[in-house]
Amino acid sequence: ANFAEPDGRVVLVHVSPTAQIPDDVTEHSSTQRTEEVADGFLYLANDIRAGRSIDVESLHRIGDPIDELLSAAQAIAPDLIAIGSERSDGVTRLPLGSVTRALVRDGHWPMLVTPPVPFEN
């Protein structure tokens, strides 16, 4: 929000993947997750707007996260993409998550990549 111009716009985008849903995930938990994301976006939107004249929009897309985020970015034509990076403990993973790497590699926009939140046991 601090990078947005007065009377600027911030677009929050969330992608729900259509595949890779574990067998034990029920429709109820999927609906609950969607509601949690919507609540989180409402909280973020209110925080971004607080004391600023910034328009905040939320987009929810369903599909492959990389494809959907690239498509959303092409439609929005952002001045900046801010994304949180994720890491996996797997040996085969690189420090940036695959979605972040794809946006950096295939995108045509300035990017702000934040590190993952440290995992504590």
Side-chain angles (χ1 to χ4, degrees), residues 12-16 29-47 49 56-61:
L12 304 172
V13 182
H14 175 260
V15 179
S16 297
S29 63
S30 177
T31 301
Q32 183 179 2
R33 176 69 180 147
T34 300
E35 290 173 2
E36 289 171 355
V37 170
D39 289 345
F41 272 26
L42 181 60
Y43 176 83
L44 283 173
N46 289 335
D47 191 42
R49 284 187 195 104
V56 181
E57 299 174 33
S58 296
L59 293 178
H60 179 223
R61 292 183 166 225

Side-chain angles (χ1 to χ4, degrees), residues 3 25 28 35 44 46 59-60 72 74 78 89 100 102 105 110 115:
F3 291 116
V25 174
H28 172 72
E35 290 173 2
L44 283 173
N46 289 335
L59 293 178
H60 179 223
Q74 288 171 347
D89 290 335
T100 304
R105 182 187 66 236

Side-chain angles (χ1 to χ4, degrees), residues 85-102:
S85 178
E86 292 186 359
R87 281 190 198 146
S88 173
D89 290 335
V91 178
T92 60
R93 302 286 294 204
L94 295 175
L96 290 180
S98 59
V99 173
T100 304
R101 280 195 322 266

